[in-house]
Amino acid sequence: MENRTNSAQWIIPFLFLACSIQFVCGKQSTRQISMEYNPGCPKEICSTSTGNTSINLIHVMAKNPYNNGHDIHYVWSTIGSPAVLIAYTVKSTEIKIDWAKFISDNPANSITFDPEPFYTSGMQLTHLIEFVDVNDTARLNSSAEIHMYPFHDMLWDSTSWVNSEKSDGRVNFTTEYGTNTNGSILLSFDAGKSKERISRLPFLMITSNSSAVDLALHNLSTISNHSRFGLEMMFVNSYTQKPSKFKSYRSIDDEYCPAVFTMIDVNLYGEDASNGSYCQFRPVCYVNPHRALSGQKEVQYYEFVQASILPHGILTAFYGEQDINIYGMNITFGQKKDGFYVATQFTSWTSTFGFGIPPVEKLSLAIIMIISVGLGAPVVLLIFGGIGVFIKARRKQYSRLESVKQDIIT
Amino acid sequence: MACDPRRALHRYLVLILMCFLSFGSYFVYDNPAALEKQIETDMRVNAANYELLYSLYSWPNVVLCFFGGYLLDTFLGLRFGTIVFALFVLVGQIIFAIGAQLDKYWLMCVGRFVFGIGGESLAVGQNTYAVSWFKGKELNMVFGLQLSFSRVGSTVNINIMGPIYRWLNNYLSGYQCLGATLWFGCAFCILSLFCAVLLAYYDKRANRLLGKDDEKTGEKVSLLDVKDFSLQIWLMFIICVAYYVTVFPFISLGLVFFEERFGLDPAAASAVNSIVYLLSAFMSPIFGILVDKVGRNLYWVILGVVATLGSHMLMAFTFLNPYIAMVTMGLAYSLLACALWPMVAYVIPEHQLGTAYGIMQAIQNLGLAVVAIVAGDIVDSKGYLFLEVFFGGCLSIALIAAVALYLVDAARGGTLNYSAKKRNMLAEAENL
């Protein structure tokens, strides 16, 4: 009994501390999300009545509630290659888009911010890769039959978007793909409002400074039953003094993404560590629309290389001739013996793209509690129980001594 | 010399019979695992239905071996009861084989159920025999050797059933080939039954010669005795269940864990995963002798629990080569198994031993069955780190129970942690 109350007393302040830390941190990093669709676009360009639904540009503002803070702007668009542009700015910065120039053949500098952002970077999906994996190695190699389908040749629709006070901002884009399979590619962007986990596997951490990029390949037609798909991505960094880095590291923690111990960070450095940006993902994809451990397959990743040319899209429209660092990277979906893409005709994958440094997984409170109680309780029992037994033994000895004394006296 | 029941040589001959007593049941227990692919194709069943062959064995035994142990103490008696349970094992395997021969999967399931009635209770009988022949002598070693034999039984099975099937496949095909292969398992069950009969004979003879026929001591055994079991025995039950659930359910989920967590290829992962089984086959008798020589069973139990906890924590929180952790776990498991089970004999009078071992086995089966499901769910929803931490929690309960057992035993002036020297002196004093 004594022991139980002791360990309980020990836990309470600990719990309280943990809760209050959570509360304080949670409150500080909340942003208000507001979104506008094709801001300032003249009717003759963007009118949906003309049937042109492929001009999709969403400007998202993640506003810092404090007056001295900075804001984050995202631009999501499927014009040209689908891309995210992220800008870290002072308060009340405005985005300006010269729409006529933007859709012309030379869109350089048609998107600007006023005043100029401190830091910008971008992530762009450039090609859908299909390769025939004859030997079921799941790895893309030069001997395989490879097809590269440029995303900027596809026509995208913005199917839905959500922005309310309570939720993060979210936009879905979709494009038809495949001639006779009703196939489609779905691309979603989310803007984080506060630090939390995305509510589906692999439960990546999203912050008020980051956004999520989701890709789903649905019913695509394939050139072979051994086809696998992949993605060519590009990253752009406005800060050119320090080369960007790709890092894949193992962690002990798979609490949020069962059976996956690897995390991948692409670090696009800024002037100092916290002023850069990053892309983070787990090397897994899901082959069923309902994401579960049973449909979790590996994502293969390949060399992170410096590139020189960027396919057109919002990133070329923003950066124009500006001096930037461009990097490219491929990933492919699937692992050995998983039955290839045709097994389920579905693959989805998620990554985050945000400002700052990549969030680091920490042990959850539940784990820390179990460990502290689990290790603490036996020790406490040993100490108190040991003292108890010792005292009892001493008392027995003492009383025996007393009775001997009595005997001598009598 | 070998005929004198008081002589060591005679005891060792009887020990051989004891070891082979449950060899047959351990051999056929893993028949389905050795022939999983063949059963699934020949009987046209899916993985879930295949699992039935194991769950029909394990779930009834959550209750059955409790009654089995009780029956050994009462109506059947140890000798006759053991023969009956060995018969159940044989008959179960015969039904299992006939089921395959007739292409009737449900009959195979019935066979596994009948086998289950005998299998675990037979192990209870084996434990009880061990105590009655070896208490105060080489008891820890005997438990270690029995554990080792159970491992050898299932290993031999895994390695020879496949080749036998392939050989018979030259003459037979499909379910008939499967049936014929399973008949082979019956041979080992007959061997075990034979051992049960011989054991009964030697046990009776020894009691007659030494004039200590315990069956007529007149002590009534009732199921209600359970409520009078001392705190010590309940603490042992807790250690048993809280410890075993951290070893076997972990191994059954181990393959993927070693592949994903440590980047091992499937062959290496399965090698690491089988270390515990392999080590326990070799080390249990050796540790048994060690515990016999030193005594102090409780210290060994606590050491076993702590080492297993350490091994789980190594795998949870470090990237240290998993061989180190799994070898530690294998050694700790062997040590704990041969130090824990004999302790029951020091706190329970002989006429209740069957009941006590029955309960211990029943609780262990319950724990294993429940934790197997829980562990699968934890991996699916919370991942392996959480699973390891959960096992850490279970081991912490085992550790608390072990420490409590030490304190209770010390406070009550118990005998559990006596050194071998002191135990021998007491035994001699008793004999005088």
Side-chain angles (χ1 to χ4, degrees):
Chain A
M1 226 25 217
E2 185 184 36
N3 304 327
R4 204 180 303 155
T5 43
N6 260 299
S7 54
Q9 279 168 354
W10 191 72
I11 294 164
I12 292 165
F14 179 74
L15 249 176
F16 180 74
L17 186 71
C19 291
S20 45
I21 289 172
Q22 200 100 5
F23 183 72
V24 170
C25 295
K27 187 155 187 185
Q28 270 178 348
S29 52
T30 303
R31 289 180 189 273
Q32 286 167 340
I33 307 284
S34 61
M35 299 161 76
E36 17 177 18
Y37 181 64
N38 291 343
C41 185
K43 251 192 188 140
E44 60 273 21
I45 296 173
C46 292
S47 167
T48 46
S49 60
T50 57
N52 186 356
T53 53
S54 66
I55 294 191
N56 292 305
L57 184 146
I58 314 271
H59 169 237
V60 184
M61 181 129 112
K63 215 192 217 165
N64 193 317
Y66 303 103
N67 284 330
N68 54 353
H70 292 92
D71 290 342
I72 304 242
H73 293 253
Y74 303 101
V75 182
W76 300 330
S77 176
T78 53
I79 302 170
S81 298
V84 186
L85 175 69
I86 200 169
Y88 183 63
T89 67
V90 289
K91 298 235 104 186
S92 61
T93 296
E94 278 176 40
I95 186 170
K96 297 220 164 82
I97 302 169
D98 180 346
W99 282 94
K101 195 175 184 200
F102 182 39
I103 58 167
S104 73
D105 289 338
N106 181 20
N109 302 320
S110 56
I111 300 175
T112 49
F113 288 96
D114 183 29
E116 197 137 298
F118 294 110
Y119 174 86
T120 58
S121 69
M123 173 183 178
Q124 178 170 290
L125 310 182
T126 50
H127 286 95
L128 179 70
I129 304 169
E130 179 178 1
F131 70 105
V132 182
D133 186 14
V134 183
N135 297 324
D136 199 7
T137 61
R139 295 287 298 179
L140 184 62
N141 56 43
S142 49
S143 62
E145 182 186 346
I146 301 172
H147 293 250
M148 304 285 281
Y149 309 106
F151 279 117
H152 61 71
D153 285 354
M154 303 175 193
L155 290 181
W156 296 82
D157 249 335
S158 89
T159 50
S160 63
W161 51 304
V162 183
N163 177 214
S164 71
E165 279 290 305
K166 286 179 191 128
S167 73
D168 299 350
R170 180 185 180 90
V171 174
N172 297 323
F173 296 106
T174 180
T175 183
E176 285 178 17
Y177 185 93
T179 42
N180 47 12
T181 51
N182 261 338
S184 61
I185 300 175
L186 186 77
L187 184 62
S188 312
F189 295 109
D190 287 79
K193 185 164 149 278
S194 55
K195 189 168 181 177
E196 60 194 356
R197 287 190 187 272
I198 303 174
S199 58
R200 59 195 175 279
L201 278 169
F203 296 104
L204 290 171
M205 204 115 76
I206 194 167
T207 70
S208 59
N209 289 348
S210 68
S211 60
V213 180
D214 246 284
L215 181 79
L217 310 174
H218 196 61
N219 272 341
L220 306 194
S221 57
T222 56
I223 45 177
S224 155
N225 279 345
H226 286 61
S227 280
R228 294 185 187 281
F229 285 98
L231 192 59
E232 183 195 71
M233 302 180 270
M234 288 191 142
F235 300 96
V236 175
N237 192 3
S238 66
Y239 185 76
T240 53
Q241 305 302 311
K242 197 174 173 193
S244 301
K245 241 197 193 149
F246 168 89
K247 194 170 84 175
S248 118
Y249 58 97
R250 285 192 304 169
S251 74
I252 57 165
D253 195 352
D254 69 335
E255 187 179 351
Y256 295 100
C257 187
V260 182
F261 296 92
T262 310
M263 183 68 99
I264 288 166
D265 290 346
V266 172
N267 282 298
L268 308 167
Y269 294 108
E271 208 161 345
D272 61 64
S274 59
N275 277 346
S277 60
Y278 67 90
C279 170
Q280 186 177 60
F281 63 93
R282 294 274 194 184
V284 285
C285 58
Y286 297 87
V287 297
N288 297 309
H290 173 72
R291 294 185 175 189
L293 187 54
S294 57
Q296 181 173 284
K297 306 290 175 210
E298 287 168 20
V299 163
Q300 317 287 329
Y301 45 93
Y302 304 85
E303 220 182 337
F304 183 70
V305 291
Q306 192 135 24
S308 50
I309 299 170
L310 196 62
H312 78 87
I314 51 165
L315 296 184
T316 50
F318 174 74
Y319 287 109
E321 300 302 310
Q322 207 180 310
D323 186 23
I324 48 175
N325 277 348
I326 307 173
Y327 298 89
M329 182 182 158
N330 292 340
I331 58 173
T332 58
F333 306 121
Q335 65 192 41
K336 286 178 192 171
K337 296 181 184 163
D338 65 355
F340 309 99
Y341 177 77
V342 290
T344 58
Q345 305 259 51
F346 183 89
T347 299
S348 71
W349 170 79
T350 302
S351 78
T352 58
F353 185 66
F355 176 77
I357 47 174
V360 180
E361 295 280 341
K362 286 200 191 84
L363 293 183
S364 72
L365 194 61
I367 286 184
I368 293 170
M369 296 255 304
I370 296 174
I371 293 172
S372 5
V373 175
L375 292 183
V379 172
V380 169
L381 176 66
L382 195 62
I383 293 169
F384 283 88
I387 292 171
V389 170
F390 181 71
I391 290 171
K392 202 173 167 186
R394 279 300 287 269
R395 207 173 279 162
K396 212 188 229 169
Q397 214 172 11
Y398 180 75
S399 62
R400 204 182 296 154
L401 217 66
E402 283 293 295
S403 65
V404 171
K405 247 192 232 163
Q406 285 288 323
D407 286 349
I408 294 169
I409 292 167
T410 52
Chain B
M1 214 162 88
C3 300
D4 182 347
R6 280 168 306 187
R7 295 279 181 160
L9 186 59
H10 182 81
R11 262 198 331 266
Y12 292 150
L13 288 176
V14 170
L15 176 58
I16 295 173
L17 295 179
M18 275 180 211
C19 288
F20 278 100
L21 176 63
S22 60
F23 186 83
S25 107
Y26 283 114
F27 182 89
V28 297
Y29 172 74
D30 269 330
N31 271 181
L35 297 167
E36 178 175 356
K37 288 241 162 56
Q38 289 88 336
I39 290 174
E40 284 176 7
T41 28
D42 292 346
M43 306 307 292
R44 301 168 305 282
V45 291
N46 59 19
N49 272 329
Y50 160 80
E51 285 297 325
L52 257 183
L53 295 178
Y54 278 101
S55 50
L56 273 173
Y57 177 94
S58 60
W59 277 105
N61 269 309
V62 167
V63 186
L64 280 178
C65 54
F66 167 63
F67 288 106
Y70 174 66
L71 286 176
L72 286 175
D73 282 343
T74 54
F75 306 112
L76 297 176
L78 177 57
R79 291 163 207 148
F80 184 60
T82 308
I83 296 173
V84 169
F85 293 137
L87 255 175
F88 267 108
V89 169
L90 174 63
V91 171
Q93 179 69 8
I94 289 174
I95 298 175
F96 189 52
I98 292 177
Q101 202 102 53
L102 297 178
D103 195 19
K104 297 271 187 290
Y105 190 68
W106 64 266
L107 197 58
M108 291 179 79
C109 293
V110 171
R112 287 297 281 188
F113 177 74
V114 174
F115 166 52
I117 296 174
E120 294 288 293
S121 302
L122 186 62
V124 175
Q126 188 190 27
N127 288 343
T128 315
Y129 262 130
V131 172
S132 87
W133 279 80
F134 287 92
K135 191 180 171 188
K137 299 180 184 89
E138 304 92 346
L139 187 57
N140 299 290
M141 184 270 282
V142 170
F143 271 92
L145 198 65
Q146 285 177 352
L147 175 67
S148 155
F149 251 73
S150 69
R151 290 287 139 249
V152 172
S154 66
T155 310
V156 170
N157 155 69
I158 296 279
N159 288 311
I160 70 167
M161 286 312 258
I164 290 176
Y165 180 95
R166 279 194 291 280
W167 174 66
L168 286 173
N169 219 352
N170 295 329
Y171 313 100
L172 300 161
S173 64
Y175 54 86
Q176 283 179 325
C177 181
L178 182 67
T181 313
L182 293 178
W183 280 109
F184 193 80
C186 293
F188 286 101
C189 297
I190 292 171
L191 174 71
S192 287
L193 180 61
F194 183 64
C195 290
V197 174
L198 280 183
L199 263 178
Y201 168 74
Y202 281 113
D203 197 50
K204 201 170 173 76
R205 175 173 172 274
N207 282 342
R208 196 184 65 231
L209 292 182
L210 303 177
K212 54 149 197 167
D213 208 328
D214 53 306
E215 276 178 319
K216 292 182 187 67
T217 45
E219 280 172 275
K220 283 271 185 306
V221 180
S222 149
L223 272 181
L224 289 176
D225 288 350
V226 171
K227 68 175 168 37
D228 299 326
F229 275 5
S230 62
L231 179 59
Q232 280 107 312
I233 187 79
W234 290 107
L235 287 171
M236 284 176 209
F237 292 164
I238 293 174
I239 299 171
C240 177
V241 67
Y243 180 84
Y244 276 78
V245 297
T246 68
V247 177
F248 295 103
F250 171 72
I251 291 172
S252 69
L253 293 166
L255 274 183
V256 180
F257 175 69
F258 291 119
E259 284 177 38
E260 299 297 332
R261 177 73 157 71
F262 297 98
L264 300 182
D265 60 65
S270 108
V272 177
N273 206 29
S274 61
I275 285 178
V276 172
Y277 288 129
L278 195 71
L279 270 180
S280 68
F282 287 106
M283 296 309 293
S284 313
I286 298 173
F287 280 140
I289 293 170
L290 175 75
V291 179
D292 278 331
K293 294 281 171 227
V294 179
R296 305 213 177 271
N297 288 42
L298 261 170
Y299 285 155
W300 297 115
V301 168
I302 291 174
L303 177 65
V305 175
V306 170
T308 309
L309 182 61
S311 127
H312 274 297
M313 292 303 105
L314 273 184
M315 286 187 283
F317 296 109
T318 71
F319 283 100
L320 202 67
N321 191 327
Y323 278 94
I324 297 168
M326 287 305 274
V327 167
T328 310
M329 190 189 289
L331 295 177
Y333 164 69
S334 314
L335 183 59
L336 181 127
C338 48
L340 175 68
W341 291 81
M343 282 200 304
V344 174
Y346 294 112
V347 291
I348 290 285
E350 201 154 327
H351 66 274
Q352 291 176 339
L353 263 184
T355 313
Y357 277 123
I359 294 175
M360 193 148 162
Q361 211 125 328
I363 296 178
Q364 188 194 349
N365 284 334
L366 177 67
L368 289 176
V370 170
V371 169
I373 296 170
V374 171
D377 279 350
I378 289 179
V379 168
D380 281 351
S381 58
K382 295 239 154 215
Y384 284 97
L385 178 68
F386 205 94
L387 180 72
E388 286 291 32
V389 169
F390 166 74
F391 286 148
C394 293
L395 283 166
S396 157
I397 292 171
L399 186 57
I400 291 171
V403 170
L405 181 57
Y406 173 74
L407 296 174
V408 169
D409 191 60
R412 295 187 180 177
T415 61
L416 290 178
N417 213 29
Y418 276 177
S419 67
K421 215 169 163 189
K422 196 159 180 184
R423 215 160 251 167
N424 288 342
M425 269 161 55
L426 284 178
E428 273 168 32
E430 222 167 81
N431 283 343
L432 284 176

